[in-house]
Amino acid sequence: MNLETSEMYDHNQAKAVVEHDVKFQCEGVDVYYGESHAIKDVSVDLLDKTVTAFIGPSGCGKSTFLRCLNRMNDTIDICRVTGSLKLDSEDIYDRKVDPVQLRARVGMVFQKPNPFPKSIFDNVAYGPRIHGLTSKKSELEEIVEKSLRKAAIWNEVKDRLHAPGTGLSGGQQQRLCIARAIGPPPRCC
Amino acid sequence: MKATNLIALAAAGIVAAATGAQARDQVAVAGSSTVLPYASIVAEAFGENFDFPTPVVESGGSSAGLKKFCEGVGEATIDIANASRAIREKEIKACAENGVTEIIEVRIGYDGIVFASQTDGPAFTAFTPDQWYHALAAKQIVDGELVDNPNMKWSDVDPSLPDVEIAAFIPGTKHGTREVFEEKVILAGCEESGAMAKMTGDLGMSEDDAEDACMEVRADGKSVDIDGDYTETLSRIDANSNGIGVFGLAFYENNTDKLKVATMSGVVPSTESISTGEYPVSRPLFFYVKKAHIGVVPGLKEFASFFVSDAVAGPSGPLAQYGLVADPELADTQAAIAAEDVMN
Amino acid sequence: MTDAAMPPAAAAGPSRKPKKSLHVLDDNTRRRNGAERRFRILGGCAVGTGVLALVVLLISILSAGLPSFQQTFLKAEIYLDPAVLDPSGERDPEAISKILTFSYSPMIKGSLTALAEELEAQGAENLTPKMLADMVSGAANAKLRDYVIANPDEIGKTVEFEFLTNARIDQYLKGKVTRESAALDSRVDVAQLNAADELVASGAMEKRFNWDFITAPDASENRPEAAGLGVALLGSLYMMLIVLCLALPIGVAASIYLEEFARKNFLTDVIEVNISNLAAVPSIVFGILGLAIFINMMHLPNSAPIVGGLVLTLMTLPTIIIATRASLKAVPPSIRDAALGVGASKMQAVFHHVLPLAAPGILTGTILGLAQALGETAPLLLIGMVAFVRDYPDAPPGGLFEPATGLPVQVYNFTQRADPAFVERASGAIIVLLVFLVIMNLVAIILRRRFERRW
């Protein structure tokens, strides 16, 4: 039930198409939840400007591994991560790295849609707001529209931006979450 | 988040204000619940007639009031303690230990203790201390032996009394009234009936032991201690037509439509019979003034002299109207306050 | 492993035809329906018992207390006698203020002599002027004196005043004092009741709504008719203010820290157990604590709302902390993940997303705590709030240090008094307390609705 590097990703095949820089370099990653050893020795390189998919049976640790990439596992007290994870050849588990700053660069959309119980606009605008990207309303509106367009939901919600995000259908909610994640433009993922 | 800030600011303000102490400008009184109505009547009139603020009167019992009074000198302590009994040696000592050395004792008048029952109840019209002793004492002398009180009905005590179960509601031990009841009724009855003489004589008890044995009240449910106020005694009597309760004269006078009073040794309790000393069960009421506070707490001396002035505590004043028996020696008390005479 | 054994039976199951029609209830369904019906009846009974208890309580309190909002007034013309009020004749304000309220009684009696004779002629037998004067409340003297000091020019004139009547007459008009009880009562005479009938008929005496019951301060035992709840209301209001300003921020901050930031370890477990225990500690214990710390150690004044407020704050804190932690726990963790995933800091996630979602629960908990504090008597007994206080405290912050009482202790106070007229006032005070509580709960509901609509 553990990730096996070879099953997940064919490094050579991707390389064959275009030559890309390595964005994430993971080596010998182990994750423990208390006593239970959830991920065993995973090493993988994730390339820039590529879509990488992890496939595996449920409970095999796909989400756990993803949560390592922006240190969401820090919020779980009993979770322990060892090994080396490098973003642009900087160790993200280094003492000097603040996870909040890291997460602003490494966005994340979760398995289950979890929009904020606020309006659609506020959902997407939240990231840019807290990162101080803009204070002007017009610029904010621009960012929101761009993010919603990229997540392919703009046409469905453009007339009801101030309706609650929780009122959308499941699929729409998940696309809203994608728009929210790319709102603060993350550099990765 | 504006509201949060506002609340935080207010909280900071309260804490800041709490650290700065404030000067007290009204007289603080505490003590006996028997004296409370009189003290509040005077406090009200004092506030109406003078430019000083109305004194604050707390109740809680004579002992509690004197304890607070003896906590020390200063604004956080009370100025006047009301008491339905005289201050005890022990309390004077406790006061002195805390720096309260100069105490002015003021006797405001007398309070009668009456025995009353439901207006429609059995004919409890006349009692003697002797009967009360035989009805309520824990031990009685029967055939030269000290045994548990065998009397279950009033008629067992005296055939002239109604043939009903004994059910007496007497003040609890925290009340000053209890002490007076024990001394002036139970102990007096014990002596009158000759039981006391038998205990010290035939049974060979020391005088103190005999007194204690006399005053011990039975605990088999025939006598019920009331720790609350007279209102509680009244509601117990309301619920039990055979019950008889111990009340202050003032309380009885406010409720004559519900209660009928019994004579004691043939004397009807009234302000007149108490002031002449004919009615046996009465006691003086006091308040104690902290001399160190005179001149510091505004209006303290004025309040004390107003309390015992003829217009207030005299026979036609509002206190007498409420039920206080005026002190015939009021003039001496007034002079003592004017001269700020302290106790020894 | 069991899979292997199942297939034959499972295959046979669906193919077998049902024996019974769907139109006929089988035993199992009937049993289950019966159980549900019985539970519904039981539930209805439970609700019914509660409602019945409430109705009985309300009826008894309302019937006993509503009359206290009405009071009997008597209109009378009083001759402001210069011989009594200003013997020197110089209208010197200082000399006039030296005349004490007691001197006004004979003047009132003198002014009512003519009226007494008139009433006696009309059928109130054996009515003396003193009896008529006694029908007027003791508070009348103070009212007259205040008027004379404010208007010294009126001395020597006859002025019409409206006085409260004494409690027995008032109780007679309310049906609590009857001729039978009056015959036994040393405080009232049947002649006075006859006079009251005449005065009501002539319109000089009437019973009407009395704001003073809500606004006036307490009165002494001689004049229950003048006693009001003003000081108690202010005292309760001040205490609630202090509790709100201290308990809400401290309680919410503590719960957020414990729930969101603190690591779960032995220490936080100990704290959690202790907070739950504190919530169950009898309130009198907080009174003892308050007496020891705030009065004996910090030397805060006796009988002051600040001490009451601080004690009630200590008492309310556990309630608020428990309610807040429960509502914080109820916020789904996915909201926290979402906020953190966008790059919010932990504090931003809590304050922007978790706290607003928990706000309705926090508010409900706070208001419940406040309501509990509002009705609390026991701790206030120990810090001197059960007192006779007649002066209104000033506006905060200064007034927080001045003596006041509180609504529940005022109820307690009234029940301790000898005059039966105070029974009615105690019930009246309970009604005011209940109205206070209903208002607070309404505010809670309105606030909750508002917060819920935000998203």
Side-chain angles (χ1 to χ4, degrees):
Chain A
M1 293 265 228
N2 294 302
L3 285 173
E4 297 292 338
T5 326
S6 53
E7 278 179 34
M8 280 170 49
Y9 177 65
D10 192 342
H11 199 256
N12 297 325
Q13 205 177 348
K15 227 175 196 173
V17 186
V18 193
E19 199 65 33
H20 284 301
D21 297 334
V22 174
K23 194 74 183 171
F24 259 112
Q25 197 174 20
C26 311
E27 269 179 45
V29 176
D30 283 275
V31 180
Y32 304 84
Y33 288 116
E35 291 298 299
S36 104
H37 196 168
I39 294 183
K40 285 178 188 156
D41 189 25
V42 171
S43 300
V44 62
D45 288 345
L46 305 177
L47 303 186
D48 199 12
K49 298 191 178 66
T50 341
V51 175
T52 308
F54 292 166
I55 307 167
S58 61
C60 75
K62 304 181 294 288
S63 302
T64 300
F65 183 74
L66 275 179
R67 288 171 69 96
C68 292
L69 299 181
N70 67 351
R71 291 185 57 177
M72 280 300 283
N73 282 335
D74 288 17
T75 58
I76 301 166
D77 277 346
I78 54 164
C79 184
R80 198 155 49 84
V81 179
T82 60
S84 133
L85 285 123
K86 284 185 179 151
L87 171 62
D88 293 334
S89 38
E90 282 176 330
D91 185 0
I92 61 168
Y93 278 85
D94 193 282
R95 273 231 206 109
K96 287 181 217 145
V97 174
D98 187 316
V100 173
Q101 206 175 330
L102 170 72
R103 287 179 206 135
R105 282 173 60 182
V106 185
M108 183 158 184
V109 176
F110 295 83
Q111 204 157 352
K112 265 197 285 179
N114 55 355
F116 298 132
K118 297 181 180 221
S119 72
I120 294 170
F121 182 90
D122 285 339
N123 258 288
V124 184
Y126 183 67
R129 270 194 191 129
I130 57 168
H131 294 300
L133 290 188
T134 174
S135 53
K136 277 191 213 141
K137 208 177 168 226
S138 56
E139 284 179 34
L140 201 59
E141 276 166 357
E142 204 176 300
I143 295 177
V144 169
E145 184 182 337
K146 225 163 92 188
S147 309
L148 287 169
R149 274 186 199 283
K150 275 191 196 160
I153 191 179
W154 171 252
N155 285 333
E156 290 156 68
V157 299
K158 65 182 173 197
D159 300 326
R160 45 169 177 152
L161 284 177
H162 295 283
T166 41
L168 298 172
S169 76
Q172 287 172 324
Q173 284 190 13
Q174 191 62 306
R175 275 178 283 156
L176 176 63
C177 292
I178 293 171
R180 180 178 66 189
I182 54 182
R187 312 246 178 92
C188 160
C189 303
Chain B
M1 292 293 106
K2 242 182 188 167
T4 329
N5 289 340
L6 212 68
I7 289 174
L9 206 70
I14 288 173
V15 173
T19 50
Q22 267 207 336
R24 181 153 61 81
D25 55 1
Q26 75 282 330
V27 176
V29 186
S32 164
S33 49
T34 310
V35 185
L36 173 75
Y38 304 113
S40 60
I41 287 169
V42 181
E44 183 177 59
F46 184 72
E48 280 167 4
N49 284 304
F50 293 86
D51 288 334
F52 299 109
T54 308
V56 171
V57 190
E58 281 178 55
S59 72
S62 303
S63 303
L66 283 165
K67 192 174 162 227
K68 260 183 147 177
F69 182 78
C70 291
E71 265 166 10
V73 175
E75 273 182 358
T77 60
I78 58 171
D79 312 312
I80 292 181
N82 294 327
S84 56
R85 56 168 173 80
I87 191 168
R88 292 180 182 134
E89 274 306 314
K90 212 168 60 188
E91 286 160 343
I92 295 178
K93 215 181 257 171
C95 264
E97 271 167 23
N98 291 323
V100 186
T101 46
E102 293 184 306
I103 305 170
I104 305 174
E105 184 180 62
V106 182
R107 191 175 60 215
I108 59 169
Y110 293 88
D111 178 37
I113 291 167
V114 306
F115 302 84
S117 56
Q118 265 190 28
T119 43
D120 314 324
F124 293 117
T125 49
F127 283 117
T128 60
D130 174 11
Q131 291 166 343
W132 274 90
Y133 166 68
H134 282 116
L136 288 198
K139 306 268 184 190
Q140 303 274 309
I141 300 176
V142 179
D143 301 330
E145 296 263 343
L146 209 53
V147 297
D148 285 344
N149 195 336
N151 300 324
M152 291 298 150
K153 292 183 166 184
W154 284 103
S155 52
D156 296 343
V157 174
D158 191 322
S160 69
L161 289 170
D163 182 22
V164 295
E165 294 277 327
I166 295 172
F169 299 97
I170 63 172
T173 42
K174 74 165 201 174
H175 288 284
T177 318
R178 172 64 171 264
E179 205 172 294
V180 183
F181 171 74
E182 286 177 351
E183 268 174 30
K184 301 243 166 136
V185 182
I186 306 286
L187 186 59
C190 186
E191 285 168 0
E192 233 172 74
S193 64
M196 178 89 171
K198 275 186 200 158
M199 283 186 207
T200 50
D202 302 349
L203 295 173
M205 293 166 86
S206 75
E207 196 146 319
D208 281 354
D209 286 349
E211 269 189 24
D212 288 347
C214 279
M215 290 199 292
E216 197 188 330
V217 173
R218 66 198 296 180
D220 56 358
K222 296 285 168 200
S223 158
V224 179
D225 279 14
I226 303 288
D227 279 326
D229 257 284
Y230 292 136
T231 42
E232 192 187 335
T233 316
L234 177 63
S235 63
R236 299 292 280 270
I237 299 258
D238 261 347
N240 182 350
S241 64
N242 293 339
I244 179 146
V246 177
F247 295 95
L249 177 68
F251 187 89
Y252 160 70
E253 296 215 319
N254 269 294
N255 291 282
T256 47
D257 54 329
K258 296 187 203 80
L259 292 171
K260 74 170 183 297
V261 77
T263 60
M264 182 55 76
S265 308
V267 185
V268 180
S270 68
T271 45
E272 293 78 34
S273 61
I274 290 166
S275 68
T276 57
E278 248 182 289
Y279 185 77
V281 200
S282 71
R283 44 121 180 235
L285 301 179
F286 299 93
F287 68 83
Y288 294 89
V289 185
K290 212 175 271 177
K291 191 181 172 187
H293 284 194
I294 291 180
V296 179
V297 176
L300 177 55
K301 192 175 175 185
E302 288 82 351
F303 177 66
S305 15
F306 182 70
F307 205 132
V308 292
S309 64
D310 289 333
V312 176
S316 59
L319 299 190
Q321 189 196 331
Y322 183 73
L324 182 75
V325 179
D327 186 351
E329 293 157 17
L330 204 55
D332 294 349
T333 313
Q334 290 162 359
I337 291 180
E340 298 179 14
D341 286 345
V342 298
M343 298 173 75
N344 296 324
Chain C
M1 283 133 251
T2 48
D3 284 7
M6 283 305 285
S15 63
R16 202 187 291 151
K17 261 196 162 182
K19 276 181 187 165
K20 285 175 192 161
S21 152
L22 265 179
H23 292 216
V24 180
L25 277 181
D26 63 16
D27 286 345
N28 190 17
T29 314
R30 194 173 294 125
R31 226 178 8 256
R32 285 183 294 173
N33 287 352
E36 184 175 329
R37 210 165 29 246
R38 280 193 298 280
F39 178 76
R40 278 167 187 257
I41 293 170
L42 267 179
C45 288
V47 173
T49 318
V51 170
L52 190 74
L54 182 70
V55 167
V56 169
L57 180 84
L58 276 183
I59 287 177
S60 72
I61 287 177
L62 286 180
S63 63
L66 276 182
S68 62
F69 292 92
Q70 287 197 322
Q71 210 62 44
T72 311
F73 292 87
L74 173 69
K75 277 200 207 83
E77 292 192 334
I78 302 293
Y79 173 57
L80 301 175
D81 189 352
V84 176
L85 302 178
D86 191 17
S88 65
E90 284 165 0
R91 302 287 187 267
D92 176 13
E94 203 151 300
I96 296 173
S97 66
K98 284 241 166 63
I99 307 293
L100 300 184
T101 44
F102 309 114
S103 312
Y104 284 73
S105 293
M107 199 176 74
I108 294 177
K109 195 172 100 186
S111 302
L112 293 176
T113 308
L115 184 61
E117 278 162 7
E118 193 183 312
L119 288 170
E120 203 175 6
Q122 279 168 0
E125 282 169 38
N126 303 325
L127 185 74
T128 63
K130 184 176 183 315
M131 281 183 189
L132 188 61
D134 283 347
M135 288 167 67
V136 174
S137 162
N141 293 10
K143 187 177 177 180
L144 268 182
R145 184 171 177 271
D146 288 346
Y147 179 83
V148 170
I149 288 172
N151 311 289
D153 300 338
E154 301 281 313
I155 293 177
K157 293 180 189 158
T158 300
V159 184
E160 191 184 68
F161 287 94
E162 194 172 48
F163 300 127
L164 285 165
T165 63
N166 90 24
R168 289 294 202 279
I169 303 299
D170 177 62
Q171 296 282 296
Y172 171 63
L173 291 193
K174 289 171 183 168
K176 302 239 175 69
V177 167
T178 59
R179 278 159 208 280
E180 290 78 54
S181 74
L184 295 169
D185 198 331
S186 63
R187 293 269 190 247
V188 67
D189 196 284
V190 178
Q192 289 177 317
L193 302 186
N194 292 335
D197 286 341
E198 295 291 336
L199 286 166
V200 170
S202 72
M205 190 183 275
E206 64 163 346
K207 196 175 76 175
R208 58 179 156 77
F209 190 78
N210 179 28
W211 272 111
D212 281 351
F213 176 61
I214 297 162
T215 58
D218 196 4
S220 72
E221 320 237 349
N222 265 348
R223 28 177 118 147
E225 63 279 359
L229 299 171
V231 174
L233 268 173
L234 267 184
S236 275
L237 195 73
Y238 286 2
M239 285 192 278
M240 288 308 105
L241 214 70
I242 293 168
V243 174
L244 187 69
C245 291
L246 289 178
L248 184 60
I250 295 176
V252 172
S255 342
I256 290 178
Y257 179 77
L258 283 174
E259 198 56 48
E260 304 285 340
F261 294 93
R263 288 190 164 276
K264 303 274 171 288
N265 55 24
F266 180 68
L267 191 68
T268 47
D269 283 349
V270 169
I271 291 175
E272 181 160 359
V273 169
N274 275 310
I275 289 174
S276 308
N277 279 339
L278 271 184
V281 163
S283 56
I284 188 107
V285 175
F286 290 100
I288 295 170
L289 188 80
L291 177 70
I293 294 181
F294 300 124
I295 294 183
N296 293 344
M297 262 175 62
M298 287 168 68
H299 296 296
L300 288 174
N302 249 322
S303 318
I306 180 84
V307 182
L310 288 171
V311 167
L312 294 179
T313 300
L314 292 180
M315 206 195 80
T316 319
L317 262 179
T319 315
I320 293 185
I321 290 179
I322 289 170
T324 306
R325 290 189 68 176
S327 41
L328 286 175
K329 271 200 190 101
V331 175
S334 65
I335 294 293
R336 291 180 187 85
D337 281 350
L340 293 178
V342 185
S345 71
K346 187 130 191 177
M347 187 154 157
Q348 284 172 325
V350 169
F351 280 86
H352 294 173
H353 299 287
V354 178
L355 201 55
L357 285 177
I362 295 174
L363 270 179
T364 313
T366 307
I367 302 252
L368 280 180
L370 274 183
Q372 189 192 352
L374 178 67
E376 198 53 70
T377 328
L380 303 183
L381 293 174
L382 286 167
I383 54 165
M385 298 292 285
V386 183
F388 177 74
V389 183
R390 260 184 71 80
D391 291 336
Y392 297 105
D394 289 343
L400 301 180
F401 295 86
E402 289 173 14
T405 59
L407 272 178
V409 292
Q410 195 68 56
V411 173
Y412 174 78
N413 234 334
F414 282 158
T415 57
Q416 304 286 301
R417 306 245 172 117
D419 198 306
F422 279 111
V423 174
E424 172 191 292
R425 302 198 104 68
S427 300
I430 293 173
I431 294 178
V432 173
L433 185 65
L434 286 180
V435 169
F436 230 86
L437 285 174
V438 168
I439 291 175
M440 279 171 68
N441 285 327
L442 275 182
V443 168
I445 290 169
I446 291 169
L447 282 177
R448 211 158 59 199
R449 289 265 164 83
R450 266 198 56 142
F451 268 99
E452 273 171 352
R453 224 172 266 157
R454 283 264 171 89
W455 45 284

